Coordinates of all heavy atoms in Angstrom, one line a residue:
M162 N 0.8 -1.2 0.0 CA 0.0 0.0 0.0 C 0.8 1.3 0.0 O 0.5 2.2 -0.7 CB -0.9 0.0 1.2 CG -1.8 1.2 1.2 SD -3.5 0.9 1.3 CE -4.0 2.2 2.3
P163 N 2.0 1.3 0.7 CA 2.8 2.6 0.7 C 3.2 3.0 -0.7 O 3.3 4.2 -1.0 CB 4.0 2.3 1.5 CG 3.5 1.2 2.4 CD 2.5 0.4 1.6
L164 N 3.5 2.0 -1.6 CA 3.9 2.4 -3.0 C 2.8 3.2 -3.7 O 3.0 4.2 -4.4 CB 4.2 1.2 -3.8 CG 5.5 0.4 -3.4 CD1 5.7 -0.8 -4.2 CD2 6.7 1.3 -3.5
R165 N 1.5 2.8 -3.5 CA 0.4 3.5 -4.1 C 0.3 4.9 -3.6 O 0.0 5.8 -4.3 CB -0.9 2.7 -3.9 CG -2.1 3.3 -4.5 CD -3.3 2.5 -4.3 NE -4.4 3.1 -4.9 CZ -5.7 2.8 -4.7 NH1 -5.9 1.8 -4.0 NH2 -6.6 3.5 -5.2
R166 N 0.5 5.0 -2.3 CA 0.3 6.3 -1.6 C 1.4 7.3 -2.2 O 1.1 8.4 -2.5 CB 0.4 6.2 -0.1 CG 0.1 7.5 0.6 CD -0.1 7.4 2.0 NE 1.2 7.2 2.7 CZ 1.3 6.6 3.8 NH1 0.3 6.2 4.5 NH2 2.5 6.5 4.4
F167 N 2.6 6.9 -2.3 CA 3.6 7.8 -2.9 C 3.4 8.1 -4.3 O 3.7 9.2 -4.8 CB 5.0 7.1 -2.7 CG 5.5 7.1 -1.3 CD1 5.8 5.9 -0.7 CD2 5.5 8.2 -0.5 CE1 6.2 5.9 0.7 CE2 5.9 8.2 0.8 CZ 6.2 7.0 1.4
R168 N 2.9 7.2 -5.1 CA 2.6 7.4 -6.5 C 1.5 8.5 -6.7 O 1.6 9.3 -7.5 CB 2.2 6.1 -7.2 CG 2.0 6.2 -8.7 CD 1.7 4.9 -9.3 NE 0.6 4.2 -8.7 CZ -0.6 4.4 -9.1 NH1 -1.0 5.2 -10.0 NH2 -1.6 3.7 -8.5
R169 N 0.5 8.4 -5.8 CA -0.6 9.3 -5.9 C -0.4 10.7 -5.2 O -1.2 11.5 -5.2 CB -1.8 8.7 -5.2 CG -2.3 7.5 -6.0 CD -3.5 6.9 -5.3 NE -4.6 7.9 -5.4 CZ -5.7 7.9 -4.6 NH1 -5.8 7.0 -3.7 NH2 -6.6 8.9 -4.7
Q170 N 0.8 10.9 -4.7 CA 1.1 12.1 -3.9 C 0.8 13.4 -4.6 O 0.3 14.3 -4.0 CB 2.5 12.0 -3.4 CG 2.8 13.2 -2.5 CD 4.2 13.1 -1.9 OE1 5.0 12.2 -2.4 NE2 4.6 13.9 -1.0
Y171 N 1.1 13.4 -5.9 CA 0.9 14.7 -6.6 C -0.2 14.7 -7.6 O -0.3 15.6 -8.4 CB 2.3 15.1 -7.3 CG 3.4 15.3 -6.4 CD1 4.4 14.4 -6.2 CD2 3.4 16.4 -5.5 CE1 5.4 14.6 -5.3 CE2 4.4 16.6 -4.6 CZ 5.4 15.7 -4.5 OH 6.4 15.9 -3.6
E172 N -1.1 13.8 -7.5 CA -2.3 13.7 -8.4 C -3.3 14.7 -7.9 O -3.5 14.9 -6.7 CB -2.8 12.3 -8.5 CG -1.9 11.4 -9.3 CD -2.5 10.0 -9.4 OE1 -3.7 9.8 -9.0 OE2 -1.8 9.1 -9.9
Q173 N -4.1 15.2 -8.8 CA -5.3 16.1 -8.4 C -6.3 15.2 -7.7 O -6.4 14.0 -8.0 CB -5.9 16.7 -9.6 CG -5.1 17.7 -10.3 CD -5.0 19.0 -9.5 OE1 -5.9 19.3 -8.7 NE2 -3.9 19.7 -9.7
L174 N -7.0 15.8 -6.7 CA -8.1 15.1 -6.1 C -9.2 15.0 -7.1 O -9.6 15.9 -7.8 CB -8.6 15.9 -4.9 CG -7.8 15.8 -3.6 CD1 -8.4 16.8 -2.6 CD2 -7.8 14.4 -3.0
L175 N -9.8 13.8 -7.1 CA -11.0 13.6 -7.9 C -12.2 14.2 -7.2 O -12.2 14.4 -6.0 CB -11.2 12.1 -8.1 CG -10.1 11.4 -8.8 CD1 -10.4 9.9 -8.8 CD2 -9.9 11.9 -10.2
Q176 N -13.3 14.5 -7.9 CA -14.5 15.0 -7.3 C -15.0 14.1 -6.3 O -15.4 14.5 -5.2 CB -15.6 15.2 -8.4 CG -15.5 16.5 -9.2 CD -15.6 17.7 -8.4 OE1 -14.6 18.4 -8.1 NE2 -16.8 18.1 -8.0
F177 N -14.9 12.8 -6.6 CA -15.4 11.8 -5.7 C -14.6 11.8 -4.4 O -15.1 11.7 -3.3 CB -15.2 10.4 -6.3 CG -15.7 9.3 -5.4 CD1 -17.1 9.1 -5.2 CD2 -14.8 8.4 -4.9 CE1 -17.5 8.0 -4.4 CE2 -15.2 7.3 -4.1 CZ -16.6 7.2 -3.8
E178 N -13.2 12.0 -4.5 CA -12.4 12.0 -3.3 C -12.7 13.3 -2.4 O -12.7 13.2 -1.2 CB -10.9 12.0 -3.7 CG -10.4 10.7 -4.2 CD -9.0 10.7 -4.6 OE1 -8.6 11.7 -5.4 OE2 -8.3 9.8 -4.2
R179 N -12.9 14.4 -3.1 CA -13.3 15.6 -2.4 C -14.6 15.4 -1.6 O -14.7 15.8 -0.5 CB -13.5 16.8 -3.4 CG -12.2 17.2 -4.0 CD -12.4 18.3 -5.0 NE -11.2 18.6 -5.8 CZ -10.3 19.5 -5.5 NH1 -10.5 20.2 -4.4 NH2 -9.2 19.7 -6.2
G180 N -15.6 14.7 -2.3 CA -16.8 14.4 -1.6 C -16.7 13.5 -0.4 O -17.3 13.7 0.6
R181 N -15.8 12.6 -0.5 CA -15.5 11.6 0.6 C -14.9 12.4 1.7 O -15.2 12.2 2.9 CB -14.6 10.5 0.1 CG -15.3 9.5 -0.7 CD -14.4 8.3 -1.1 NE -14.1 7.5 0.1 CZ -13.2 6.6 0.2 NH1 -12.4 6.3 -0.9 NH2 -13.0 5.9 1.2
I182 N -13.9 13.3 1.4 CA -13.3 14.1 2.5 C -14.3 14.9 3.2 O -14.4 14.9 4.5 CB -12.2 15.0 1.9 CG1 -11.0 14.2 1.5 CG2 -11.8 16.0 3.0 CD1 -10.0 14.9 0.7
I183 N -15.2 15.6 2.5 CA -16.3 16.4 3.1 C -17.2 15.5 4.0 O -17.5 15.8 5.1 CB -17.1 17.2 2.1 CG1 -16.2 18.1 1.2 CG2 -18.2 18.0 2.7 CD1 -15.3 19.0 2.0
G184 N -17.6 14.4 3.4 CA -18.5 13.5 4.2 C -17.8 13.0 5.5 O -18.5 12.9 6.5
M185 N -16.6 12.6 5.4 CA -15.9 12.0 6.6 C -15.7 13.1 7.6 O -15.9 12.8 8.8 CB -14.6 11.4 6.2 CG -14.6 10.2 5.4 SD -13.0 9.7 4.9 CE -13.4 8.3 3.9
M186 N -15.4 14.3 7.2 CA -15.2 15.4 8.2 C -16.5 15.8 8.8 O -16.5 16.1 10.0 CB -14.5 16.6 7.5 CG -13.1 16.3 7.0 SD -11.9 16.0 8.3 CE -11.6 17.7 8.8
E187 N -17.6 15.8 8.0 CA -18.9 16.2 8.6 C -19.4 15.1 9.5 O -20.1 15.4 10.4 CB -19.9 16.4 7.5 CG -19.7 17.7 6.8 CD -20.8 18.0 5.7 OE1 -21.4 17.0 5.2 OE2 -21.0 19.2 5.4
A188 N -18.9 13.8 9.3 CA -19.3 12.7 10.2 C -18.5 12.8 11.5 O -18.7 11.9 12.4 CB -19.1 11.4 9.5
G189 N -17.5 13.7 11.6 CA -16.8 13.8 12.8 C -15.4 13.1 12.8 O -14.8 13.0 13.9
W190 N -15.0 12.7 11.7 CA -13.7 12.0 11.6 C -12.6 13.1 11.8 O -12.7 14.2 11.4 CB -13.5 11.4 10.3 CG -14.2 10.1 10.0 CD1 -15.5 9.8 10.5 CD2 -13.8 9.0 9.3 NE1 -15.9 8.6 10.1 CE2 -14.9 8.0 9.3 CE3 -12.7 8.7 8.6 CZ2 -14.8 6.8 8.7 CZ3 -12.6 7.5 7.9 CH2 -13.7 6.5 8.0
S191 N -11.5 12.7 12.4 CA -10.4 13.6 12.5 C -9.6 13.7 11.2 O -9.7 12.8 10.3 CB -9.4 13.1 13.6 OG -8.8 11.9 13.2
T192 N -8.9 14.8 11.0 CA -8.1 15.0 9.8 C -7.1 13.8 9.6 O -7.0 13.3 8.5 CB -7.3 16.3 9.8 OG1 -8.3 17.4 10.0 CG2 -6.6 16.5 8.5
R193 N -6.5 13.4 10.7 CA -5.5 12.3 10.6 C -6.1 11.0 10.2 O -5.6 10.3 9.4 CB -4.8 12.2 12.0 CG -3.7 11.1 11.9 CD -2.9 11.1 13.2 NE -2.1 12.3 13.1 CZ -1.3 12.8 14.1 NH1 -1.3 12.1 15.3 NH2 -0.6 13.8 14.0
R194 N -7.3 10.8 10.7 CA -8.0 9.5 10.3 C -8.4 9.5 8.8 O -8.3 8.5 8.1 CB -9.3 9.3 11.2 CG -10.0 8.0 11.0 CD -11.1 7.9 11.9 NE -11.9 6.6 11.7 CZ -13.0 6.4 12.1 NH1 -13.6 7.2 13.0 NH2 -13.7 5.3 11.8
V195 N -8.9 10.7 8.3 CA -9.2 10.8 6.9 C -8.0 10.6 6.0 O -8.1 9.9 5.0 CB -9.9 12.2 6.6 CG1 -10.1 12.4 5.2 CG2 -11.2 12.3 7.4
T196 N -6.9 11.2 6.4 CA -5.7 11.1 5.6 C -5.2 9.6 5.6 O -4.8 9.1 4.5 CB -4.5 11.9 6.2 OG1 -4.2 11.5 7.5 CG2 -4.8 13.4 6.2
R197 N -5.3 8.9 6.7 CA -4.9 7.5 6.7 C -5.9 6.7 5.8 O -5.4 5.8 5.1 CB -4.9 6.9 8.1 CG -3.6 7.2 8.8 CD -3.5 6.5 10.1 NE -4.0 7.4 11.1 CZ -4.9 7.1 12.1 NH1 -5.4 5.9 12.1 NH2 -5.3 8.0 12.9
Q198 N -7.1 7.0 5.8 CA -8.1 6.2 5.1 C -7.9 6.4 3.6 O -8.0 5.5 2.8 CB -9.5 6.6 5.5 CG -10.6 5.9 4.8 CD -10.8 4.4 5.2 OE1 -10.4 4.1 6.3 NE2 -11.2 3.6 4.3
L199 N -7.7 7.7 3.2 CA -7.6 8.0 1.7 C -6.2 7.9 1.2 O -6.0 8.0 0.0 CB -8.2 9.4 1.5 CG -9.7 9.5 1.8 CD1 -10.1 10.9 1.5 CD2 -10.5 8.5 1.1
G200 N -5.2 7.9 2.0 CA -3.8 7.9 1.6 C -3.3 9.2 1.0 O -2.5 9.3 0.1
R201 N -3.9 10.3 1.6 CA -3.5 11.6 1.1 C -2.8 12.3 2.3 O -2.9 11.9 3.4 CB -4.7 12.5 0.7 CG -5.4 11.9 -0.5 CD -4.6 12.1 -1.7 NE -5.3 11.7 -2.9 CZ -4.9 12.1 -4.1 NH1 -3.9 12.9 -4.2 NH2 -5.6 11.7 -5.1
S202 N -2.1 13.4 2.0 CA -1.4 14.2 3.0 C -2.5 15.0 3.9 O -3.5 15.3 3.4 CB -0.4 15.1 2.5 OG -1.0 16.2 1.8
D203 N -2.1 15.3 5.1 CA -3.0 16.1 5.9 C -3.2 17.5 5.4 O -4.3 18.0 5.5 CB -2.5 16.1 7.4 CG -1.1 16.8 7.5 OD1 -0.4 16.8 6.5 OD2 -0.8 17.2 8.6
C204 N -2.2 18.0 4.7 CA -2.4 19.4 4.1 C -3.4 19.4 3.1 O -4.2 20.3 3.0 CB -1.0 19.8 3.5 SG -1.0 21.5 2.9
V205 N -3.5 18.4 2.2 CA -4.5 18.3 1.2 C -5.9 18.2 1.8 O -6.8 18.9 1.3 CB -4.2 17.0 0.3 CG1 -5.4 16.8 -0.7 CG2 -3.0 17.2 -0.5
V206 N -6.0 17.4 2.8 CA -7.3 17.2 3.4 C -7.8 18.5 4.1 O -8.9 18.9 3.9 CB -7.3 16.0 4.4 CG1 -8.6 16.0 5.2 CG2 -7.1 14.7 3.7
R207 N -6.9 19.1 4.8 CA -7.2 20.4 5.5 C -7.6 21.5 4.5 O -8.6 22.2 4.7 CB -6.0 20.9 6.3 CG -6.1 20.4 7.7 CD -5.1 21.0 8.6 NE -3.8 20.3 8.5 CZ -2.7 20.9 8.0 NH1 -2.7 22.1 7.6 NH2 -1.6 20.2 7.9
R208 N -6.9 21.6 3.3 CA -7.2 22.6 2.3 C -8.6 22.4 1.7 O -9.3 23.3 1.5 CB -6.1 22.6 1.2 CG -5.0 23.6 1.6 CD -4.1 23.8 0.4 NE -3.0 22.9 0.5 CZ -2.6 22.1 -0.5 NH1 -3.1 22.1 -1.7 NH2 -1.6 21.3 -0.3
C209 N -8.9 21.1 1.4 CA -10.2 20.8 0.9 C -11.3 21.1 1.9 O -12.3 21.7 1.5 CB -10.2 19.3 0.5 SG -11.8 18.7 -0.2
W210 N -11.1 20.8 3.1 CA -12.1 21.1 4.2 C -12.2 22.6 4.4 O -13.4 23.1 4.5 CB -11.7 20.4 5.5 CG -12.6 20.7 6.6 CD1 -12.3 21.3 7.7 CD2 -14.0 20.3 6.7 NE1 -13.4 21.4 8.6 CE2 -14.5 20.7 8.0 CE3 -14.8 19.5 5.9 CZ2 -15.8 20.5 8.4 CZ3 -16.1 19.3 6.3 CH2 -16.6 19.8 7.5
E211 N -11.1 23.3 4.4 CA -11.2 24.8 4.6 C -11.9 25.4 3.4 O -12.7 26.4 3.6 CB -9.8 25.4 4.7 CG -9.2 25.0 6.1 CD -7.7 25.4 6.2 OE1 -7.2 25.9 5.2 OE2 -7.1 25.1 7.3
Q212 N -11.7 24.9 2.2 CA -12.4 25.5 1.0 C -13.9 25.2 1.2 O -14.7 26.1 0.9 CB -11.9 24.8 -0.3 CG -12.6 25.4 -1.5 CD -12.3 24.7 -2.8 OE1 -11.5 23.7 -2.8 NE2 -12.8 25.2 -3.9
W213 N -14.3 24.0 1.7 CA -15.7 23.7 1.9 C -16.3 24.7 2.9 O -17.4 25.2 2.7 CB -15.8 22.3 2.3 CG -17.2 21.9 2.7 CD1 -17.7 21.7 4.0 CD2 -18.3 21.7 1.9 NE1 -19.0 21.4 4.0 CE2 -19.4 21.4 2.7 CE3 -18.5 21.8 0.5 CZ2 -20.7 21.1 2.2 CZ3 -19.8 21.5 0.0 CH2 -20.8 21.2 0.8
I214 N -15.6 24.9 4.0 CA -16.1 25.8 5.0 C -16.3 27.2 4.5 O -17.2 27.9 4.8 CB -15.2 25.8 6.3 CG1 -15.2 24.4 6.9 CG2 -15.6 26.8 7.3 CD1 -16.5 23.9 7.4
R215 N -15.3 27.7 3.8 CA -15.2 29.0 3.3 C -16.2 29.3 2.2 O -17.0 30.3 2.2 CB -13.8 29.4 2.8 CG -13.5 30.8 2.4 CD -12.1 31.0 2.1 NE -11.6 30.1 1.0 CZ -10.7 29.1 1.2 NH1 -10.2 28.9 2.3 NH2 -10.4 28.4 0.1
E216 N -16.3 28.4 1.2 CA -17.1 28.6 0.0 C -18.4 27.7 -0.1 O -19.2 27.9 -1.1 CB -16.3 28.4 -1.2 CG -15.0 29.3 -1.3 CD -14.1 28.9 -2.4 OE1 -14.5 28.1 -3.3 OE2 -13.0 29.5 -2.4
M217 N -18.5 26.7 0.7 CA -19.5 25.7 0.6 C -19.5 25.1 -0.8 O -20.5 24.8 -1.4 CB -20.9 26.3 0.9 CG -21.1 26.5 2.3 SD -20.8 25.1 3.3 CE -22.1 25.1 4.4
S218 N -18.3 24.9 -1.3 CA -18.1 24.3 -2.6 C -16.8 23.5 -2.6 O -15.8 24.0 -1.9 CB -18.0 25.3 -3.7 OG -17.6 24.8 -4.9
F219 N -16.7 22.4 -3.2 CA -15.5 21.6 -3.2 C -15.0 21.3 -4.6 O -14.1 20.5 -4.9 CB -15.6 20.3 -2.4 CG -16.6 19.4 -2.9 CD1 -16.4 18.5 -3.9 CD2 -17.9 19.4 -2.3 CE1 -17.3 17.6 -4.3 CE2 -18.8 18.5 -2.7 CZ -18.6 17.6 -3.7
T220 N -15.5 22.1 -5.6 CA -15.1 21.9 -7.0 C -13.8 22.7 -7.3 O -13.6 23.7 -6.6 CB -16.2 22.3 -8.0 OG1 -16.5 23.7 -7.7 CG2 -17.5 21.5 -7.8
R221 N -13.1 22.2 -8.2 CA -11.9 23.0 -8.6 C -12.3 24.2 -9.3 O -13.3 24.2 -10.1 CB -11.0 22.1 -9.6 CG -10.2 21.1 -8.9 CD -9.2 20.5 -9.9 NE -8.2 21.4 -10.2 CZ -7.5 21.4 -11.3 NH1 -7.7 20.6 -12.3 NH2 -6.5 22.3 -11.4
R222 N -11.6 25.3 -9.1 CA -11.9 26.5 -9.7 C -11.4 26.5 -11.2 O -10.3 26.1 -11.4 CB -11.2 27.7 -9.0 CG -11.8 27.9 -7.6 CD -11.0 29.1 -6.9 NE -11.2 29.0 -5.5 CZ -10.3 28.5 -4.7 NH1 -9.1 28.1 -5.2 NH2 -10.5 28.4 -3.4
S223 N -12.2 26.9 -12.1 CA -11.8 26.9 -13.5 C -10.8 28.1 -13.6 O -10.9 29.1 -13.0 CB -13.0 27.1 -14.4 OG -13.6 28.4 -14.2
G224 N -9.8 27.8 -14.4 CA -8.8 28.9 -14.7 C -7.7 29.0 -13.6 O -6.9 29.9 -13.6
S225 N -7.8 28.2 -12.6 CA -6.8 28.3 -11.5 C -5.5 27.7 -12.0 O -5.5 26.8 -12.8 CB -7.2 27.6 -10.2 OG -7.4 26.2 -10.5
G226 N -4.4 28.3 -11.6 CA -3.1 27.8 -12.1 C -2.6 28.7 -13.2 O -3.2 29.6 -13.7
R227 N -1.3 28.4 -13.5 CA -0.7 29.2 -14.5 C -1.2 28.9 -15.9 O -1.5 27.8 -16.3 CB 0.8 28.9 -14.5 CG 1.6 29.8 -15.4 CD 3.1 29.5 -15.3 NE 3.8 30.3 -16.2 CZ 5.1 30.2 -16.4 NH1 5.8 29.4 -15.6 NH2 5.7 31.0 -17.2
S228 N -1.5 30.0 -16.7 CA -2.0 29.8 -18.1 C -0.9 29.3 -19.0 O 0.3 29.6 -18.7 CB -2.6 31.1 -18.6 OG -1.6 32.1 -18.6
R229 N -1.3 28.5 -20.0 CA -0.3 28.0 -20.9 C 0.2 29.0 -21.9 O -0.6 29.8 -22.4 CB -0.9 26.8 -21.6 CG -1.2 25.6 -20.7 CD -1.7 24.5 -21.4 NE -2.0 23.4 -20.5 CZ -2.0 22.1 -20.9 NH1 -1.8 21.8 -22.1 NH2 -2.4 21.2 -20.0
Q230 N 1.4 28.9 -22.3 CA 2.0 29.7 -23.3 C 1.6 29.2 -24.7 O 1.8 28.0 -24.9 CB 3.5 29.8 -23.2 CG 4.1 30.8 -24.2 CD 5.6 30.8 -24.1 OE1 6.1 30.2 -23.2 NE2 6.2 31.6 -24.9
T231 N 0.9 30.0 -25.5 CA 0.4 29.4 -26.8 C 1.3 29.9 -28.0 O 1.2 29.3 -29.0 CB -1.1 29.9 -27.0 OG1 -1.1 31.3 -27.0 CG2 -2.0 29.3 -26.0
S232 N 2.1 30.9 -27.8 CA 2.9 31.3 -28.9 C 4.4 31.5 -28.4 O 4.6 31.6 -27.2 CB 2.4 32.6 -29.5 OG 2.4 33.6 -28.5
H233 N 5.3 31.6 -29.3 CA 6.7 31.7 -28.9 C 7.1 33.1 -28.9 O 6.9 34.0 -29.4 CB 7.6 31.0 -29.9 CG 7.3 29.5 -29.9 ND1 7.8 28.7 -28.9 CD2 6.6 28.7 -30.7 CE1 7.5 27.4 -29.1 NE2 6.7 27.4 -30.2

């Protein structure tokens, strides 16, 4: 199992995973317990939860991140 956790370390959270994080946190699970269950870092789980509390939304923002260079 640790190999899978390290491989997934830098992958984007899926909508389903974001929903699971919100559900587990609303059910009273600790951040540490959620991270162990999903194999994600505590920072990722905390950021997802804080976004939910702040915006009541857990979807990725469109246009977030650096824009791609289209010409030379």
